[in-house]
Amino acid sequence: LRAAVHGNASQDDGTLSVRNFVLTPGTMGVRNLGNTCYINSVLQSLSHVRAFRNYFIDLLGDESNTGKKVEVGEGTGRHFTRTDTVTCLATLQRSKRTTTRTAGRGGGRGTHAPKPPRDIGAKDESVCFQLHTLMRVLWSGSMTAVTPYAFIESVWRYVAQFRGFRQQDAQEFLCFLLDRVDTELSPPPPPPSSSSPPPPPPPRRRRRRRHRRR
């Protein structure tokens, strides 16, 4: 509590009250959806890597680019519109399906592995865009905790292993996340040139003659 707030605390009748409640950016929590604490631990660790955090916070530019389409990566062809932090929060916590139906409350165990939503948009498919919204919300200092519905649903779309609310390996999720980020930020391979000669045909296999025994 002391790391998250600044102010005067007083105790009356056995209850703790905090005055002048002020949140510190970077101390926001990430709520579990079932047993997704392995995802939260990776996200919180990456959010405190300054170079990683600053890159995704500034992924779509500064506030002067609000309302403008910005390309994610160089030559990738992925253009997203930068929005304000309030819209980022609404996007992050928007669930296009009942994500918490089997998650339970208080981190309950969920065994159901839902399929990714069919109506998910191109923006929601981008893991980099979801990291952009998540990092901005985590370091906004506006809330005590956030529920990353949209981020988890974007992960479900690519890897069936992480679908559902079961406990998974944090290192495997970290490897997937970094690999997916590298894929989205890398430009697509150039199309084959029409002037290049066609590849040679595969060699023909010689047929073996069968000799009849006399």
Side-chain angles (χ1 to χ4, degrees):
L1 182 63
R2 293 180 180 178
V5 298
H6 298 287
N8 299 324
S10 62
Q11 188 172 2
D12 299 325
D13 300 331
T15 59
L16 181 65
S17 62
V18 179
R19 300 175 182 176
N20 300 328
F21 187 83
V22 179
L23 293 172
T24 301
T27 58
M28 185 182 299
V30 181
R31 295 187 181 94
N32 290 341
L33 296 176
N35 289 324
T36 58
C37 53
Y38 69 98
I39 295 180
N40 299 347
S41 61
V42 171
L43 294 177
Q44 289 284 15
S45 299
L46 291 176
S47 72
H48 286 82
V49 178
R50 181 178 299 177
F52 187 91
R53 175 184 74 240
N54 292 342
Y55 178 85
F56 280 98
I57 289 178
D58 300 332
L59 186 66
L60 300 180
D62 55 14
E63 295 181 358
S64 62
N65 284 341
T66 302
K68 300 179 181 179
K69 287 187 176 181
V70 182
E71 184 178 18
V72 175
E74 185 177 354
T76 60
R78 292 174 174 266
H79 292 81
F80 298 133
T81 303
R82 191 188 192 281
T83 57
D84 52 38
T85 306
V86 176
T87 306
C88 286
L89 177 62
T91 302
L92 184 65
Q93 297 197 138
R94 183 184 69 252
S95 176
K96 293 190 176 182
R97 59 179 294 120
T98 310
T99 311
T100 57
R101 181 180 57 184
T102 58
R105 296 182 178 179
R109 297 180 179 178
T111 57
H112 178 59
K115 296 181 180 180
R118 295 182 179 179
D119 59 343
I120 193 169
K123 182 183 295 185
D124 298 322
E125 293 178 5
S126 172
V127 174
C128 288
F129 179 81
Q130 295 302 334
L131 282 173
H132 166 71
T133 59
L134 180 63
M135 295 300 167
R136 285 182 58 186
V137 171
L138 286 178
W139 288 84
S140 63
S142 59
M143 298 178 63
T144 57
V146 64
T147 307
Y149 291 122
F151 176 84
I152 292 179
E153 288 177 353
S154 66
V155 171
W156 285 353
R157 189 170 189 86
Y158 295 105
V159 183
Q161 174 186 350
F162 299 120
R163 294 177 189 171
F165 309 101
R166 295 183 297 270
Q167 180 67 35
Q168 303 287 348
D169 186 75
Q171 184 177 2
E172 292 181 0
F173 175 74
L174 175 62
C175 292
F176 153 75
L177 183 61
L178 297 180
D179 182 70
R180 182 61 198 173
V181 166
D182 180 71
T183 300
E184 292 188 8
L185 295 179
S186 300
S193 177
S194 58
S195 60
S196 59
R204 296 181 179 180
R205 294 182 180 179
R206 295 181 180 179
R207 296 181 179 179
R208 295 181 180 180
R209 295 180 180 179
R210 297 181 180 180
H211 298 278
R212 297 180 180 180
R213 294 183 181 180
R214 294 182 180 180

